[in-house]
């Protein structure tokens, strides 16, 4: 498949197609043992990115992939370069690609299964398996995942490390197995090794072989790996370089080829050795297992063990040889096994054994459009977020599905009320040693909050897994996470992985922006809003007012409650919130005027008008006929400054309309999709986007957002008018809200000046 993609398929752009023959060959024995013998239909496997061709080949041999795809590796609409749950055909349990994340994903899916079993009754047993490259163990997220208390004692998890002791650039120096063993064992894992193939095992049974085994276990990787490119005589010498005399003596009676065959016979390419260890691990049910399978990168190919083999591929001559070696020719190379042969029969048997009956319990109960909460005259969005969740916890049908999680910030992000009502999840009942009159931290199997250590990477790994619980554990859940907004970036890789994998969840980033003033620059987020706007599948929601948040959160819950499908647009709902309490009056007066139904529609679409500048002038008895006009477009918690600026502008005879963009991403994507349909079909150019219908005047814009000024800087372009984008362009520092707003030009006075300035430059332009 890799050779065809690179050497036979027409290449239109001169770019090397790639594919990883050496990485694939390294894992081929392990994967054959798994799919053709060990796995059960309910097991879920995450495959090392660079072995995706093997996974597709297995799916083909099992009759689960059309032949057409075999010539479409890495082509548009064909087989993806790395396993993709959403884009590849057929069953792919986990998306992988960014090394380390695919390893951790099944661990969190195993934790999700444990949660589902505790709350909804036991599902059929599954193993959550990760096939990992050994260099992936250098990724920090692996160790964050392994050491989190939420992932301990997961007997349903198995990792198999493709222990070829090579990474991309090099042979991994030294012998690291001892360190890794200790790290896993310290985290409570069962560690196993499949090191010796049958020839090695037989050799160790021979007299005087003890020192040979000792030498094999301690020979530096670099020296051992260098044997593979050599002819048998040179390989023998290389292996014995530096070895004690007793090892040289042990091999004295053996031919060079025998020596080479024995010393390279690693357990990761020996079915019996692999299956024996898999069965051993099966007996361990109270902790995760990791098997280090000793393998050869490029096993069985001329590339074997070569330090530069990661991106190397076989030449045409070598492929011809390889084809012959396998008894194939150009006419038969794509054939499945003959159904009458033993191999063919095994394929048929395994196809039926691996057929998964994915019956899912979906969320059938109605989801309210809003809660019945009454809000105070002044509220912060963070506090309201907590109150909404607490209120929803009183709905006995809906609350069953809600599961919250936070990386050690549950109480400081207002999840306390929800936790008080539903408790904290622990697989076993735990005694509470402290009785806190405010927060009831009751831990047991019925709890619905999963508390994590501080790792934000783990937060998004867990949310990603909870959001795919219908796929991996037959039970749909509504996952809700909370994190300090700046640290969304700390978990960004796993957030991207979750959305890329098609997972659905809600996350609150709170508090956000420079508005958490005294906390200082290290805690003030600015570029997170851009992440929320730009990440495909993500909806950024940044409301200012309580009722809007209530509508938007209920709407997000119905979005998350939908069954998982491939290629959905809105998957993750990211609420960027604040602890700043603001008056609700302005919103409530629009609500009274427009009515709930119409206003809710606008809010869900992403923006609504908060102030009509003409009416404001009328109230003041000023004629609007020749008055200059400006649109103040506000996002989030800066609303009070924007409203005050609108009033100040009215006082000097300027029409200042205020629009509140509660979901910058919805507005942005709506504009973008109207543009792309216009580009694809010129006739649709007449279709207005939502923003143009909402803001139909041609006045210039000042946008105001406690986030990078870049995040909303596209508005003027969307409306074809001048814009000044006010936002945060430097790292923050401690101070009061007035200090920081002034420093970042988010204060009322700066907004007024920006408005008069933008009116001035637009007028000059007109002249
Ligand atoms: C996060 C991330 N960093 C870098 C890469 C590029 N990369 C792909 S494979 C690889 C080395 C992998 O070595 P290993 O995990 O040992 O796999 P194998 O030897 O089996 O190919 C690197 C650096 C990547 N895919 N993801
Ligand atoms: Mg490797």
């Amino acid at each position: 498949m890799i050779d065809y993609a690179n050497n036979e398929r027409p290449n239109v752009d001169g770019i090397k197609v790639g594919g990883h023959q050496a990485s694939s060959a390294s894992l081929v024995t392990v994967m054959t043992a798994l799919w053709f013998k060990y796995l059960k239909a309910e097991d879920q496997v995450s495959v090392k990115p660079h072995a995706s061709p093997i996974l597709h080949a297995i799916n083909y041999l099992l009759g689960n992939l059309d032949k057409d795809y075999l010539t479409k590796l890495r082509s548009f609409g064909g087989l993806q370069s790395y396993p993709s749950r959403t884009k590849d055909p057929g069953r792919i349990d986990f998306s992988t690609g960014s090394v380390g994340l695919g390893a951790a994903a099944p661990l969190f899916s195993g934790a999700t299964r444990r949660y589902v079993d505790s709350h909804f009754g036991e599902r059929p047993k599954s193993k959550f398996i990760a096939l990992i490259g050994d260099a992936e163990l250098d990724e920090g997220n692996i160790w964050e995942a392994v050491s989190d208390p939420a992932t301990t004692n997961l007997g349903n998890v198995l990792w198999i490390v493709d222990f070829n002791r090579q990474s991309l650039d090099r042979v991994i120096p030294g012998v690291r197995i001892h360190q890794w063993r200790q790290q896993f064992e310290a985290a409570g894992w069962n560690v196993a090794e499949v090191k010796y193939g049958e020839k090695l095992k037989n050799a160790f049974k021979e007299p005087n072989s003890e020192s040979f085994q000792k030498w094999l276990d301690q020979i530096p990787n670099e020296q051992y790996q260098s044997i593979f490119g050599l002819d048998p005589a040179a390989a023998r010498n290389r292996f014995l370089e530096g070895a004690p005399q007793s090892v040289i003596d042990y091999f004295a009676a053996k031919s060079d080829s025998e020596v080479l065959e024995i010393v390279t016979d690693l357990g990761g390419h020996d079915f019996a050795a692999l299956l024996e260890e898999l069965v051993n691990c099966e007996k361990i049910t109270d902790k995760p297992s990791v098997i280090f399978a000793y393998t050869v990168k490029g096993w069985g190919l001329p590339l074997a063990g070569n330090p530069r083999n990661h991106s190397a591929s076989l030449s045409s001559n070598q492929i011809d040889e390889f084809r012959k070696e396998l008894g194939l020719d150009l006419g038969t190379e794509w054939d499945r096994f003959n159904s009458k042969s033993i191999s063919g029969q095994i394929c048929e048997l395994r196809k039926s054994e691996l057929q998964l009956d994915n019956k899912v319990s979906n969320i059938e109960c109605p989801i309210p459009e809003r809660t019945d909460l009454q809000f105070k005259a002044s509220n912060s969005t963070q506090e309201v977020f907590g109150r909404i969740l607490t209120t929803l916890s009183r709905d006995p049908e809906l609350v069953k599905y809600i599961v919250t999680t936070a990386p050690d910030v549950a109480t400081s992000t207002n999840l306390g009320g929800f936790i008080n009502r539903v408790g904290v999840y622990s697989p076993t009942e735990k005694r509470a040693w402290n009785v806190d009159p405010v927060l009831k931290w009751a831990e047991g199997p019925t709890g619905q909050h999963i508390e994590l250590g501080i790792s934000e990477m783990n937060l998004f790994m867990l949310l990603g897994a909870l959001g795919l619980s219908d796929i991996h554990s037959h039970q749909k859940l509504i996952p809700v996470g909370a994190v300090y907004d700046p640290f969304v970036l700390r978990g960004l890789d796993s957030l991207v992985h979750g959305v890329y994998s098609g997972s659905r969840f809600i996350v609150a980033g709170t508090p956000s922006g420079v508005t958490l003033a005294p906390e200082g620059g290290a805690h003030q987020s600015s570029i997170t809003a851009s992440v929320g706007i730009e990440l495909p599948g993500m909806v950024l929601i940044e409301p200012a007012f309580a009722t809007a948040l209530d509508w938007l959160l209920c709407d997000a819950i119905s979005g998350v409650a939908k069954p998982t499908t491939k290629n959905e647009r809105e998957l993750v709902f990211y609420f960027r919130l604040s602890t700043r309490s603001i008056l609700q009056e302005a919103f409530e007066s629009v609500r009274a005027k427009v009515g709930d139904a119409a206003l809710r529609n606008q809010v869900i679409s992403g923006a609504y008008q908060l102030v009509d500048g003409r009416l404001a002038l009328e109230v003041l008895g000023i004629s609007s006929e020749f008055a200059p006009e400006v649109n103040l477009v506000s996002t989030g918690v800066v609303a009070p400054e924007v409203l005050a600026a609108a009033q100040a502008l009215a006082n000097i005879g300027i029409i200042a309309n205020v629009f509140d963009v509660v979901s910058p991403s919805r507005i942005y994507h709506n504009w973008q999709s109207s543009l792309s349909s216009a580009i694809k079909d010129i006739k649709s150019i007449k279709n207005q986007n939502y923003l143009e219908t909402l803001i139909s005047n041609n006045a210039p814009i000042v946008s105001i957002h406690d986030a990078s000024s870049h995040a909303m800087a596209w508005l003027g372009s969307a409306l074809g008018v001048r814009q000044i984008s006010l936002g945060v362009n430097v790292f923050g520092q401690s101070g009061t809200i007035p200090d920081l707003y002034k420093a970042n030009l988010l204060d009322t006075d700066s907004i007024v000046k920006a408005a008069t300035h933008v009116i001035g430059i637009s007028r000059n332009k007109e002249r």
Side-chain angles (χ1 to χ4, degrees):
M1 290 160 67
I2 300 170
D3 180 65
Y4 185 92
N6 283 276
N7 299 322
E8 294 190 49
R9 202 163 66 210
N11 182 324
V12 295
D13 53 15
I15 299 281
K16 180 188 167 189
V17 180
H20 298 87
Q21 291 173 340
S23 272
S24 294
S26 186
L27 207 48
V28 72
T29 325
V30 170
M31 290 178 70
T32 306
L34 289 175
W35 269 267
F36 293 96
K37 181 76 184 172
Y38 177 77
L39 289 180
K40 300 199 172 63
E42 287 288 341
D43 296 339
Q44 313 275 339
V45 195
S46 169
V47 176
K48 176 185 87 165
H50 311 87
S52 85
I54 304 289
L55 182 57
H56 295 307
I58 288 174
N59 279 335
Y60 171 67
L61 290 177
L62 291 175
N64 295 330
L65 184 74
D66 285 347
K67 188 174 176 180
D68 285 356
Y69 277 109
L70 299 184
T71 51
K72 291 184 183 151
L73 180 67
R74 297 186 164 218
S75 74
F76 191 73
L79 301 174
Q80 298 305 298
S81 37
Y82 308 118
S84 167
R85 225 192 53 73
T86 55
K87 290 184 231 90
D88 272 322
R91 177 175 166 185
I92 304 285
D93 298 329
F94 294 89
S95 297
T96 64
S98 176
V99 299
L101 300 175
L107 188 58
F108 288 94
S109 295
T112 298
R113 172 64 65 87
R114 178 162 66 185
Y115 179 91
V116 167
D117 283 350
S118 294
H119 289 81
F120 299 90
E122 289 222 356
R123 314 279 118 170
K125 288 257 171 292
S126 298
K127 272 247 177 273
F128 293 88
I129 300 173
L131 308 181
I132 308 169
D134 50 346
E136 293 194 57
L137 296 177
D138 289 333
E139 290 288 359
N141 85 280
I142 295 236
W143 301 105
E144 289 178 63
V146 164
S147 46
D148 198 289
T151 65
T152 50
N153 306 115
L154 284 168
N156 59 1
V157 171
L158 170 69
W159 283 8
I160 301 177
V161 179
D162 179 359
F163 202 45
N164 58 30
R165 291 143 296 145
Q166 284 192 249
S167 55
L168 188 155
D169 281 337
R170 60 175 180 173
V171 170
I172 297 166
V175 178
R176 296 184 67 190
I177 181 74
H178 310 297
Q179 180 198 341
W180 280 325
R181 175 180 272 282
Q182 285 174 18
Q183 285 178 206
F184 277 110
E185 282 175 350
W189 284 53
N190 164 50
V191 183
E193 285 178 45
V194 182
K195 184 160 186 178
Y196 313 122
E198 201 182 348
K199 292 192 184 83
L200 275 171
K201 283 184 183 165
N202 288 339
F204 298 151
K205 286 182 201 145
E206 289 181 357
N208 306 322
S209 63
E210 298 80 8
S211 55
F212 161 46
Q213 180 164 5
K214 212 164 150 199
W215 176 241
L216 185 78
D217 288 346
Q218 73 184 52
I219 186 172
N221 282 339
E222 297 95 319
Q223 182 179 351
Y224 180 77
Q225 296 287 123
S226 72
I227 293 170
F228 287 91
L230 304 176
D231 64 55
R236 174 198 205 110
N237 288 339
R238 183 66 57 81
F239 180 74
L240 294 175
E241 225 177 286
Q245 188 57 41
S246 49
V247 185
I248 299 168
D249 293 346
Y250 165 72
F251 280 115
K254 292 188 166 42
S255 73
D256 293 341
S257 344
E258 265 179 298
V259 174
L260 182 59
E261 273 188 23
I262 293 170
V263 304
T264 56
D265 178 37
L266 296 181
H269 298 293
D270 184 310
F271 288 121
L274 281 166
L275 289 165
E276 186 185 323
E277 207 45 62
L278 285 166
V279 170
N280 284 343
C281 289
E282 192 97 318
K283 293 177 204 136
I284 294 169
T285 54
D286 59 348
K287 48 172 121 173
S289 286
V290 54
I291 298 175
F292 284 85
Y294 281 70
T295 52
V296 179
K297 191 156 173 170
W299 177 75
L301 303 178
L303 314 164
N306 186 310
R308 302 287 300 138
N309 64 12
H310 188 79
S311 338
S313 44
L314 268 60
S315 68
S316 298
N317 284 342
Q318 288 171 326
I319 281 284
D320 288 342
E321 278 303 307
F322 185 51
R323 216 184 261 113
K324 262 191 240 148
E325 217 180 284
L326 299 177
L328 297 170
D329 57 40
L330 282 172
T332 58
E333 63 177 343
W334 301 115
D335 288 355
R336 287 197 174 92
F337 290 113
N338 182 325
S339 61
K340 293 200 179 71
S341 68
I342 290 181
S343 309
Q345 284 169 16
I346 291 177
C347 289
E348 260 170 47
L349 173 72
R350 291 300 287 164
K351 179 190 165 106
S352 71
E353 285 178 350
L354 291 172
Q355 212 70 47
L356 180 65
D357 178 12
N358 196 14
K359 264 197 235 113
V360 175
S361 300
N362 277 311
I363 293 168
E364 312 287 358
C365 68
I367 291 164
E369 284 199 347
R370 55 155 301 174
T371 63
D372 52 11
L373 266 173
Q374 298 297 319
F375 297 108
K376 294 175 290 185
S378 182
N379 297 284
S380 80
T381 45
Q382 177 178 306
E383 165 206 345
V384 168
F385 180 79
R387 287 186 64 201
I388 294 170
L389 282 179
T390 310
T391 307
L392 292 175
S393 73
R394 296 198 178 91
D395 177 339
E397 278 310 302
L398 180 60
V399 71
K400 298 195 287 214
Y401 304 109
I402 301 178
V403 48
T404 60
T405 178
D408 200 23
V409 292
T411 50
S412 50
T413 56
N414 281 64
L415 290 183
F418 183 81
I419 293 173
N420 264 336
R421 289 193 48 85
V422 303
V424 177
Y425 177 67
S426 155
T428 52
E429 209 67 54
K430 281 199 185 159
R431 176 174 165 187
W433 291 92
N434 286 311
V435 180
D436 181 334
V438 184
L439 182 70
K440 202 166 73 194
W441 195 268
E443 291 183 66
T446 59
Q448 285 175 237
H449 170 77
I450 302 178
E451 181 71 1
L452 292 163
I454 298 182
S455 162
E456 289 78 15
M457 192 68 96
N458 286 350
L459 169 76
F460 288 113
M461 285 314 301
L462 179 59
L463 284 170
L466 292 168
L468 286 175
S469 59
D470 51 345
I471 300 296
H472 293 146
S473 288
H474 311 280
Q475 176 62 55
K476 184 74 197 165
L477 296 171
I478 301 173
V480 180
V483 56
Y484 286 179
D485 195 59
F487 309 131
V488 163
L489 301 177
R490 197 71 195 266
L492 191 55
D493 293 353
S494 54
L495 168 58
V496 172
H497 180 259
V499 197
Y500 180 78
S501 301
S503 174
R504 289 175 195 274
F505 54 85
I506 291 169
V507 63
T510 185
S512 61
V514 296
T515 306
L516 66 149
E519 277 289 291
H523 277 52
Q524 294 164 357
S525 62
S526 59
I527 64 172
T528 49
S530 306
V531 169
I533 296 173
E534 291 169 25
L535 194 58
M538 186 113 155
V539 190
L540 172 67
I541 300 172
E542 192 169 348
F545 300 103
T547 301
L549 174 54
D550 193 5
W551 294 339
L552 286 158
L553 188 51
C554 288
D555 178 65
I557 289 174
S558 20
V560 169
K562 284 194 215 160
T564 300
T565 52
K566 293 187 173 186
N567 305 325
E568 191 74 27
R569 189 78 174 269
E570 297 195 340
L571 296 165
V572 171
F573 298 81
Y574 167 27
F575 288 80
R576 197 166 176 270
L577 306 179
S578 175
T579 43
R580 182 189 189 197
S581 192
I582 65 173
L583 287 172
Q584 305 291 304
E585 199 185 339
F587 184 86
E588 292 305 317
S589 75
V590 177
R591 199 176 159 198
K593 223 175 290 168
V594 178
D596 272 16
L599 186 57
R600 183 178 183 279
N601 267 343
Q602 295 189 346
V603 164
I604 300 294
S605 300
Y608 64 96
Q609 184 161 8
L610 194 54
V611 171
D612 181 332
R614 266 168 230 278
L615 285 181
L617 285 195
E618 245 173 58
V619 171
L620 293 169
I622 302 173
S623 159
S624 59
E625 198 177 350
F626 299 107
E629 186 168 9
V630 68
N631 295 317
L632 305 181
V633 181
S634 170
T635 299
V637 74
V638 290
E641 282 66 27
V642 180
L643 289 166
Q647 190 59 51
L649 289 161
N651 291 344
I652 55 171
I654 294 175
I655 305 169
N657 307 301
V658 178
F659 296 91
D660 179 13
V661 174
V662 292
S663 174
S665 63
R666 280 203 174 134
I667 297 290
Y668 181 78
H669 290 296
N670 177 266
W671 170 48
Q672 285 297 309
S673 74
S674 76
L675 289 183
S676 36
S677 41
I679 292 166
K680 285 183 199 143
D681 172 12
I682 202 79
K683 279 180 254 133
S684 78
I685 210 150
K686 288 190 277 329
N687 291 344
Q688 274 195 320
N689 62 67
Y690 176 68
L691 194 65
E692 282 172 323
T693 29
L694 183 70
I695 309 182
S696 54
N697 61 49
N698 276 328
I701 299 174
V702 178
S703 62
I704 311 99
H705 189 189
D706 180 2
S708 163
S709 65
H710 184 256
M712 293 298 286
W714 45 273
L715 275 172
S717 177
L719 289 167
V721 297
R722 287 251 155 195
Q723 175 186 9
I724 291 177
S725 183
L726 297 178
V728 178
N729 299 321
V730 291
F731 283 118
Q733 56 174 306
S734 300
T736 62
I737 291 178
D739 290 335
L740 287 151
Y741 278 17
K742 190 160 182 216
N744 290 288
L745 309 183
L746 297 171
D747 60 313
T748 302
D749 193 35
S750 300
I751 299 168
V752 168
K753 286 181 181 148
T756 51
H757 184 55
V758 81
I759 291 170
I761 50 179
S762 319
R763 290 213 160 166
N764 283 341
K765 180 94 178 148
E766 274 167 31
R767 276 191 220 117

